[in-house]
Amino acid sequence: MSEPIRASDTPYAVDVEAGESYWWCSCGRSANQPFCDGSHKDTGLTPVKYEAEESKTVYFCGCKATQNQPLCDGSHSK
């Protein structure tokens, strides 16, 4: 299993829509950050599904070190 690549030093603010599903890139290799584009193939890492319960802005982790996948927990500042 590979280690994730830090894609960003800050979280990604995304306006999500209630009832929609989003696939967060956990490997850091996607060209479509913070979402998966299939680049994790052969890494042992898999995307994480996020289901929006309400329409709002959420902050997806960009550093890939969060303990609250897929959302930012401030790990980028540690």
Side-chain angles (χ1 to χ4, degrees), residues 9-63:
D9 290 332
T10 58
Y12 295 94
V14 176
D15 294 327
V16 298
E17 297 294 324
E20 294 293 319
S21 296
Y22 301 84
W23 291 93
W24 174 73
C25 167
S26 67
C27 72
R29 291 163 176 80
S30 174
N32 189 32
Q33 291 295 329
F35 303 114
C36 178
D37 69 1
S39 297
H40 61 276
K41 185 178 179 191
D42 300 325
T43 66
L45 300 170
T46 57
V48 175
K49 186 177 184 180
Y50 175 81
E51 293 194 38
E53 294 179 9
E54 61 182 295
S55 296
K56 63 180 182 177
T57 301
V58 297
Y59 295 87
F60 287 97
C61 176
C63 74

